[in-house]
Amino acid sequence: MRKTFIAALAAGVMATAGSVMLAGPAQAESVPVFSVPYSSTLYVLGEGTIEALSYEDWQAAGFPAPTLAPNTEYGSYPWSPVIYAVTPFADDALINALTPDEWARAGWPAPQVTAQIPGTIVAKFASSDELFAANVQSPDVHKLTFAEWGQLGYLAPEFLNDQGFYQLAWVDVPGIAYQDLQEGSAVEISFEAWAAYDYPTPAKVNRIYGDQFLLQGNGDIVYDGPTLADYTLSYAEWQAAGFPTPVAPS
């Protein structure tokens, strides 16, 4: 799994991106163009990749007739209603998470319920021991049980050691921060975003990246962070936070 796991899922990547330039009408027959049952998008084989063909490139090549890609199969995970179309080629496979319209265009094929879908990825955030499964072509994230991880053949997780979900331990606030140390950021996430990641358990911590304990002129200590702003601490809360040294406001 790449470091862009979070961004890719948030963007909802649903299909292989990119385009390729064909040589032109005289050589169009040497570059096979493929269609798929569920979409009007055409594809060509690149160097070890399957790439979408733009209309402009298809036109420039003289509109070579597409061949229906063979052996497209349909599958869904036991824990998700999302249907994936998988079209194998010699060196790669075209994987797409289908929209309802694409499923209908394909003729509503019954998917095989299986965990063995190409493009499956497993991740572990730094904030808990939980494992999460997703597919590189879908924003659908699922928190795995041990048995479900076994269905994936105990696929080795990518350890996202710089990323995690955190809550303040010393005060009763519901906010959850997503922290990315490599990017140098921490932001409060909405309930909807937390649910989209299938409710990862936040780690209870005293500090969240970028927060501050500020010493006011009257002696009060005020906390300011991603999930809690301008909050005046009691002595007991300051103690529970580990007596962090406050700084004067800039």
Side-chain angles (χ1 to χ4, degrees), residues 92-247:
D92 206 345
L94 178 66
I95 309 161
N96 276 297
L98 300 184
T99 66
D101 287 344
E102 288 172 334
W103 185 38
R105 179 175 180 140
W108 296 285
Q112 177 186 2
V113 178
T114 175
Q116 303 302 315
I117 297 176
T120 302
I121 51 181
V122 173
K124 178 189 174 301
F125 295 103
S127 47
S128 78
D129 291 330
E130 299 163 333
L131 297 179
F132 295 83
N135 193 286
V136 294
Q137 296 302 328
S138 172
D140 186 38
V141 181
H142 175 70
K143 185 191 297 186
L144 292 167
T145 66
F146 187 80
E148 289 169 340
W149 187 34
Q151 292 176 353
L152 293 172
Y154 303 105
L155 184 66
E158 180 76 12
F159 292 93
L160 304 178
N161 294 325
D162 294 325
Q163 303 177 41
F165 300 82
Y166 298 92
Q167 270 185 324
L168 293 173
W170 46 266
V171 64
D172 186 19
V173 295
I176 298 174
Y178 164 66
Q179 180 174 284
D180 187 332
L181 296 181
Q182 185 166 327
E183 296 294 331
S185 65
V187 296
E188 185 173 16
I189 63 170
S190 66
F191 180 85
E192 291 75 16
W194 184 49
Y197 286 104
D198 205 8
Y199 310 102
T201 301
K204 299 286 188 176
V205 293
N206 289 341
R207 304 291 301 266
I208 297 174
Y209 184 88
D211 66 6
Q212 299 181 87
F213 289 83
L214 303 173
L215 181 61
Q216 305 299 301
N218 61 2
D220 286 345
I221 297 175
V222 173
Y223 176 85
D224 187 63
T227 63
L228 185 64
D230 299 324
Y231 180 80
T232 301
L233 284 78
S234 67
Y235 180 85
E237 288 171 334
W238 185 39
Q239 181 182 41
F243 293 117
T245 302
V247 298

Side-chain angles (χ1 to χ4, degrees), residues 50-96:
I50 307 160
E51 300 178 349
L53 178 65
S54 71
Y55 180 85
E56 291 75 16
D57 288 345
W58 187 39
Q59 181 183 43
F63 297 111
T67 301
L68 181 64
N71 303 322
T72 297
E73 298 181 346
Y74 302 87
S76 63
Y77 295 106
W79 50 80
S80 172
V82 177
I83 297 174
Y84 295 85
V86 180
T87 305
F89 288 88
D91 299 319
D92 206 345
L94 178 66
I95 309 161
N96 276 297

